[in-house]
Amino acid sequence: MDAWEKQGDGPLTSTDKEKNEVNAEFFGKEIFGRESEYEQEAVNSIDQREIRNELGICPTFEEFNTALKRAKKDKSPGANGIPIELYEELSELAKMKIHTMISQYWLDPNYDVDDWHKVDLVLLPKKGDLSQSKNWRPIALLDVLSKIISLIIAKRLDRHLHRVGLEEQAGFTSQQGLSLKHIRRCLQ
C-alpha cells in the first residue's frame, strides 16, 4: 500500500481505509464538489428555442451501429470488463438484441441496467509529490453501452446545435476549434 498525506501537513495514512478517506475528502470537495455561481436573470433572458421532439425518440439500429463504430478503441471498459471491440465483433442478431435492450431502457422508465450506473474510479499519477491527493488524476471507467448511449445523444445534440445554435459555438461540437472569422471577431 502506498502512503498518502492527510489534509494539510498531517501524518501519512497507514491503512487503505485512511487512504480512501483522504481521497474521498479531496476529490469529493476539491474536484467533484465544486459549485458554480450564475445569475438567474441571465438565464431567464435566454429565448426559448423551438422544442424538437425528435431528439427524444428511441435510437434506431443505424444510430446504434454508427455509435458502435465511432466509439474510441483500446480504452478500459467499465466494471463488467467488456470492451468495445467485443461488441463490434458480435453478430447482427446479437447487436439487434443489445439494441432492443437499449430501446427498452430508453422507453421504459422502470427498466434499468445497474452496470450503466457503476463507475470504477482509477487514480493515475501526475507529477509532483505522490503522497498528496492533488497529484493524482481521477479517471472514471464507464460501462461501454452507457458510452454508446452517450454517443447517440451527443450526435443528436450536435446536429441540433448546427440547426439552431449560435454561429460562434465551435467548442464541443463536431466543428471544434477556432476559425479565422472567430479570431477576427475576438480581436475587434
Side-chain angles (χ1 to χ4, degrees):
M1 180 198 89
D2 296 326
W4 293 72
E5 185 174 332
K6 288 199 174 199
Q7 291 285 3
D9 296 325
L12 295 179
T13 60
S14 59
T15 67
D16 283 338
K17 183 179 180 199
E18 288 177 350
K19 176 175 130 179
N20 289 340
E21 289 171 358
V22 169
N23 283 325
E25 174 80 13
F26 175 78
F27 289 108
K29 286 185 178 175
E30 298 297 323
I31 305 298
F32 301 116
R34 293 182 187 166
E35 291 192 24
S36 298
E37 293 184 18
Y38 65 93
E39 293 182 26
Q40 189 61 46
E41 188 177 315
V43 174
N44 293 342
S45 71
I46 299 172
D47 291 332
Q48 171 66 46
R49 299 285 182 138
E50 174 187 350
I51 295 173
R52 307 294 299 234
N53 291 322
E54 69 269 14
L55 291 173
I57 63 171
C58 187
T60 65
F61 185 66
E62 180 183 348
E63 284 180 298
F64 168 72
N65 266 332
T66 300
L68 204 55
K69 290 173 186 163
R70 285 183 46 229
K72 293 182 179 178
K73 313 300 183 255
D74 297 319
K75 298 289 182 183
S76 295
N80 68 14
I82 303 173
I84 188 69
E85 291 83 1
L86 185 117
Y87 289 106
E88 290 178 316
E89 296 300 320
L90 293 174
S91 68
E92 284 299 299
L93 180 60
K95 288 179 184 176
M96 285 182 196
K97 288 186 180 201
I98 291 172
H99 175 257
T100 300
M101 183 174 68
I102 289 172
S103 298
Q104 187 174 358
Y105 174 77
W106 193 276
L107 296 172
D108 182 356
N110 297 315
Y111 180 79
D112 205 1
V113 180
D114 285 340
D115 278 354
W116 296 353
H117 303 286
K118 293 179 182 170
V119 175
D120 282 345
L121 191 66
V122 177
L123 298 177
L124 300 177
K126 296 196 265 184
K127 49 187 163 177
D129 181 1
L130 297 182
S131 70
Q132 296 182 19
S133 296
K134 69 179 184 178
N135 292 325
W136 291 82
R137 177 187 325 221
I139 302 293
L141 302 181
L142 305 170
D143 182 84
V144 169
L145 290 180
S146 69
K147 291 180 185 179
I148 295 300
I149 293 169
S150 294
L151 283 170
I152 292 168
I153 294 169
K155 183 68 173 172
R156 286 180 178 187
L157 290 175
D158 187 60
R159 283 194 306 263
H160 179 68
L161 185 60
H162 287 298
R163 270 186 256 152
V164 301
L166 300 172
E167 190 177 310
E168 292 82 4
Q169 174 69 40
F172 305 104
T173 69
S174 60
Q175 297 176 353
Q176 289 181 357
L178 291 174
S179 68
L180 286 176
K181 181 166 59 173
H182 294 116
I183 294 170
R184 280 192 204 113
R185 269 199 197 142
C186 290
L187 295 174
Q188 292 176 349

